[in-house]
Amino acid sequence: MLFTHHLSLLTPGPTPVPRSIQNAMNQPMIGHRSKDFENVAEAAFKALKPVFGSEQDVMILSSSGTSALEASMVNIVNPNDHIVVIVSGAFGKRYQQIAETYYQNVHVLDVEWGTAFKTDEVLSFIENLNVPISAVFTQFCETSTAVLHPVAELGRALKSHYESIYFVVDGVSCIGAVDVDMNRDGIDVLVSGSQKALMLPPGISFVAYNDRALERFNTVKTPSFYLNLAKHRNALAQHSTPFTPNISAFRGVLAFEELVKSEGLSHIIQRHNSIKKAVRQALTALDLELLVKDSDASPTVTAFVPKDKKEVDIIKKRLKEDFNITIAGGQGQLKGSILRVGHMGFISPFELLPFLVGLEIILTDHRKKPYIGVATKIFTEVIYHEL
Ligand SMILES: *Cc1c(COP(=O)(O)O)cnc(C)c1O
């Protein structure tokens, strides 16, 4: 053991929770049918509008991100509709599985894992289907591959070619760290979860929607109960929720809003981009291949490819055992071949340094090559120029 004093959580969710959020969540309980809670709820629904780029108040579900994915589908798609699901990794697969649970006419556009979709390929896929498509689903950041998709480009293209299509985006692993404006970017529904870039503990999720999606929620025929968004939205208008909410987490949302206000959303976005740039150069300096090319890389998580499975295992194991640093492995077809380091939410660039020091030591041992100082030097130089 070299460092045992504090756990460094560098996974792409859950992410570290700031003290101010933790404290807000530790306040004494209040009843959910009270004026006290209505005040909290009213403010919490509003608090999230800037980070989602939403004109409407953002709904809060007291269930994890996947419930928001499911809600974004069953409240938009009618039973016999044809829909397109873009699958570029494990979370795309999840959208596909939800779709196939409810619907017969699911058209999957497979995108090579580790790459972003190309807007013209999505458009020609839709055209070649030759059936009316009611909705297109995609991840914004595909967490399993660390790719950020050009959703604004696709959203605008869909709006200009197929006005009736609903564009539904899973932003679980990047909302709070990217520039998004639902109106500008042609997004009808944008969902996220609490435990990634939004710095909250796991367990609540968010649904942002435009006027058009809201009308659709009220008319769609797919059965739903807990996840019926018309019900959630009616309650929201009363500063309430249809069922007992996670009251503590709602208070956490208010503390999150304070943090965003004090740093400024544009600085938060820039911070994530700077860290991405610096981490990518540092890993490259360690002769670690990056899974994703620069133009497709997410600002919230970075995937890298050690030389072989043995090196994957050694890096992950020694980071945890010797340095108390947790990173993530691969999922699905990438299990065992990549590692992913999360850098989203409550994270300063310098919190990546212990991770890089650990990598330098582990790789110096394992490869018998001198890596000490190599990654940390480049990382610090990039951050210095970005400041
Ligand atoms: C984490 C994640 C989810 C799933 O969220 P849960 O909170 O585990 O249900 C969905 N989509 C993406 C892109 C994610 O990163």
Side-chain angles (χ1 to χ4, degrees), residues 16 48 79 108 121 129 152 186 216 228 245 248 251 314 348:
L48 295 161
V108 172
E121 285 176 15
L129 288 172
R216 182 81 166 180
N228 185 294
S248 307
R251 284 171 160 157
I314 285 175
S348 113

Side-chain angles (χ1 to χ4, degrees), residues 229-243:
L229 293 180
K231 213 151 53 184
H232 283 270
R233 166 62 204 207
N234 289 339
L236 175 147
Q238 311 295 316
H239 310 142
S240 182
T241 54
F243 314 107

Side-chain angles (χ1 to χ4, degrees), residues 12 64-67 69 91 94 139 141 143 170 172-173 195-196:
S64 85
T66 306
S67 73
L69 265 58
F91 291 101
R94 187 168 301 177
Q139 273 56 51
C141 169
T143 326
D170 165 5
V172 175
S173 59
Q195 77 275 25
K196 312 251 169 121

Side-chain angles (χ1 to χ4, degrees), residues 72-84:
S72 73
M73 198 170 270
V74 302
N75 290 277
I76 285 286
V77 183
N78 273 317
N80 294 317
D81 285 0
H82 286 261
I83 60 171
V84 168

